[in-house]
Amino acid sequence: MADYDKLQQTVNRLLFRYGKPCQVIHVTPGEYNHDTGMVEGDLEIVYGGRAIDMSAGLEHLPGTVVEQGEVVGYLRLDDAFSAKPTLTMKIRISGDVERPLRQLQPVQPGDACLYWKFVATA
């Protein structure tokens, strides 16, 4: 387990050094309330993390079709996020616009995920 811990420290160090702050937004749609006859508002939960935008180096993503304006990169969420990200979530990097996640791939050489590769739409 010591090797895995060392690898995790390296990933965290590189993402902190080269990454940008990001937010992953999970929206649970509001539901119809039968008692009031109204649709209750959406519930939005925001998780923090770090992301590296690799859109300039798309040749490193074989087999992935990336369209103009999409963002491709690596993502690590804060420890407060215990679930795995899903394609229903959105990402905001450095206060930019929210972008829906289109592809997600975990990088996990062991039992736990070190970080995620992602593609977010324009």
Side-chain angles (χ1 to χ4, degrees):
M1 197 64 170
D3 290 338
Y4 182 78
D5 291 339
K6 193 172 188 178
L7 185 58
Q8 183 71 59
Q9 290 171 3
T10 301
V11 167
N12 290 340
R13 186 179 74 248
L14 290 172
L15 279 168
F16 181 77
R17 185 173 186 182
Y18 298 108
K20 298 176 182 177
C22 74
Q23 297 175 316
V24 173
I25 300 108
H26 181 162
V27 177
T28 302
E31 296 181 1
Y32 179 75
N33 184 331
H34 294 286
D35 295 333
T36 64
M38 304 286 289
V39 175
E40 296 178 357
D42 296 345
L43 174 64
E44 184 174 288
I45 302 173
V46 179
Y47 300 97
R50 303 284 293 181
I52 296 177
D53 182 353
M54 298 292 293
S55 299
L58 298 179
E59 67 274 7
H60 299 294
L61 295 168
T64 300
V65 176
V66 179
E67 297 180 16
Q68 184 176 359
E70 291 185 328
V71 175
V72 177
Y74 302 106
L75 166 69
R76 169 108 170 95
L77 294 169
D78 294 340
D79 293 334
F81 186 80
S82 59
K84 73 178 205 176
T86 65
L87 294 178
T88 61
M89 296 179 175
K90 298 180 181 181
I91 187 168
R92 182 185 308 126
I93 301 174
S94 291
D96 195 13
V97 297
E98 289 180 11
R99 299 171 182 268
L101 293 170
R102 183 170 66 84
Q103 280 187 339
L104 281 169
Q105 179 182 5
V107 177
Q108 55 186 76
D111 293 337
C113 180
L114 292 176
Y115 58 93
W116 296 83
K117 293 180 186 179
F118 73 90
V119 177
T121 61

